[in-house]
Amino acid sequence: MSVLVKRIALTVLAVVVTVGSASAAERQYPGVGREATPAEIQSWDIDVRPDGKGAPPGHGTAVQGERVYLVKCASCHGEFGEGGGRYPVLIGGFGTLKHQRPEKTIGSYWPYASTIFDYIKRAMPFGNAQSLNNDEVYGLTAYLLFMNDIITDDTVVSAENIGTIEMPNRVNFFDDPRPDAQPKGELCMKDCGGPIKVVGSARKLDVTPETGGDAVDVSAASSAPTETQVAAVPSGDAKAGRSVFNKCKACHLVDSAKNRVGPGLKDLFGRAAGTHEDYKYSKDMMAAGDKGLVWTDETIAAFVADPKGYLGEQLAKSRANTRMAFAGIRSEKDILDLIAYLKEATKP
């Protein structure tokens, strides 16, 4: 190799080293790692603020979200959001925050709709986080808001409006105004000395399940049936129907007109669909009642077998929209037993 060629090669190498060193020197920790690409930053930057800033493109409705919920969420949180085992309850709890055992749900406690999206997007489903696409998360958010009576079933939740949805408990989240709760002097942010003393703790909720946790025996909490049994049909067994009703009792009361997630069932037989007092029904349920649907042995049997399909038939459509996430009871015997129990338990 000639002297000229060697000089040219050394000059090029010096330029490369100099450029590389300058680029490294510009970074806070030269020689460690590399600069993140815009695509990498975007994949990490998934937070959605309370005002909705950061919400990604997409949209969804409660109807779309219900399908995702039943497949991806119901196994832990229950088909009605009532919470399975030790998993959190998602629906209901209104008016309980001042109780000794408050029910903190999305409807009763959560302050911002946008952060529901944020949490689902980054942390759910349990064990398979960040596997849902944006439309699925918007749909789930819409479904949970609808089931908590915050939006209607036809509301489209999207990046444009998720920061504007008003939550019932938003007003109760505010900066602590008490004088003794304000910081005194300059705040210490690091190397802060002094002993740490825990002076109190909240009630242990134990809401994070461990693998293989014991299941809750929901039937044990039920009261015993009355001695007198009134059969809805000859083959219906009210005592067996009480066990079938375990699928329903998270949302319905049989011995009271009080509403839970679903309407109270007292005096159910002979009632027009969608007419129970102070309950917010779906538009389709009220329309079926307007068309003459009345709850009898036969109509209840058809409804609990396929709620959305049967109600859709009454309205000349393939599937109806209802607030009930329950998919239906497939066993004919279970249906007959359930009706026998309801005839007994809901009578005046």
Side-chain angles (χ1 to χ4, degrees):
M1 182 182 294
S2 67
V3 174
L4 178 60
V5 172
K6 287 183 179 180
R7 287 178 178 174
I8 293 174
L10 289 172
T11 301
V12 171
L13 179 60
V15 171
V16 171
V17 171
T18 301
V19 172
S21 300
S23 178
E26 292 173 357
R27 299 201 300 269
Q28 185 174 1
Y29 301 102
V32 178
R34 60 173 176 79
E35 293 183 3
T37 66
E40 288 171 333
I41 294 174
Q42 185 176 4
S43 68
W44 297 326
D45 185 18
I46 62 173
D47 65 293
V48 181
R49 296 193 333 190
D51 61 2
K53 186 174 182 179
H59 56 82
T61 64
V63 176
Q64 295 165 334
E66 180 185 22
R67 293 192 287 266
V68 180
Y69 180 88
L70 290 174
V71 174
K72 302 293 182 70
C73 314
S75 60
C76 292
H77 294 288
E79 292 184 340
F80 315 106
E82 75 278 13
R86 292 176 291 165
Y87 289 90
V89 179
L90 301 179
I91 295 168
F94 299 101
T96 69
L97 295 184
K98 293 183 179 180
H99 293 183
Q100 185 175 3
R101 294 175 64 89
E103 192 94 277
K104 293 183 179 180
T105 72
I106 287 173
S108 69
Y109 181 75
W110 209 282
Y112 304 105
S114 54
T115 54
I116 300 171
F117 179 98
D118 179 282
Y119 182 77
I120 296 173
K121 178 68 176 178
R122 71 174 62 249
M124 292 288 116
F126 182 64
N128 193 24
Q130 300 187 27
S131 62
L132 301 172
N133 63 44
N134 292 339
D135 287 348
E136 288 175 321
V137 180
Y138 277 117
L140 281 171
T141 303
Y143 175 66
L144 294 171
L145 292 171
F146 166 65
M147 291 296 286
N148 279 288
D149 290 332
I150 296 169
I151 63 173
T152 60
D153 57 356
D154 56 357
T155 301
V156 178
V157 177
S158 66
E160 286 69 36
N161 66 2
I162 197 168
T164 64
I165 297 172
E166 295 185 8
M167 301 296 285
N169 197 44
R170 170 64 187 92
V171 67
N172 292 318
F173 280 78
F174 50 85
D175 293 334
D176 193 337
R178 296 174 299 176
D180 59 343
Q182 307 310 311
K184 298 177 181 179
E186 186 176 350
L187 296 178
C188 177
M189 303 303 294
K190 64 179 181 177
D191 300 327
C192 303
I196 298 174
K197 181 180 180 181
V198 178
V199 296
S201 61
R203 178 172 61 89
K204 181 175 174 58
L205 296 178
D206 193 24
V207 296
T208 303
E210 301 292 338
T211 303
D214 295 334
V216 175
D217 182 7
V218 294
S219 63
S222 301
S223 59
T226 59
E227 295 181 0
T228 304
Q229 295 185 359
V230 181
V233 292
S235 58
D237 180 353
K239 185 175 181 180
R242 173 176 157 275
S243 296
V244 179
F245 186 73
N246 284 333
K247 300 178 181 180
C248 317
K249 70 178 185 179
C251 294
H252 297 283
L253 292 172
V254 293
D255 57 354
S256 170
K258 183 179 178 181
N259 299 318
R260 282 185 171 175
V261 175
L265 300 182
K266 188 174 179 61
D267 300 334
L268 171 66
F269 290 84
R271 181 198 302 171
T275 60
H276 187 54
E277 187 177 0
D278 295 330
Y279 185 76
K280 186 176 181 180
Y281 288 94
S282 67
K283 295 177 182 178
D284 283 352
M285 181 63 79
M286 291 189 292
D290 292 341
K291 286 182 174 291
L293 177 60
V294 175
W295 296 124
T296 65
D297 294 35
E298 294 75 17
T299 57
I300 292 173
F303 178 74
V304 299
D306 182 10
K308 298 183 185 301
Y310 174 73
L311 202 63
E313 291 176 4
Q314 311 310 304
L315 302 174
K317 56 195 294 188
S318 59
R319 306 285 288 176
N321 295 327
T322 76
R323 294 195 61 211
M324 191 165 77
F326 186 57
I329 299 174
R330 298 292 176 256
S331 168
E332 183 177 351
K333 180 181 184 305
D334 284 352
I335 292 174
L336 296 178
D337 291 343
L338 175 63
I339 292 173
Y341 172 68
L342 291 176
K343 289 280 282 189
E344 174 186 312
T346 67
K347 63 184 179 182

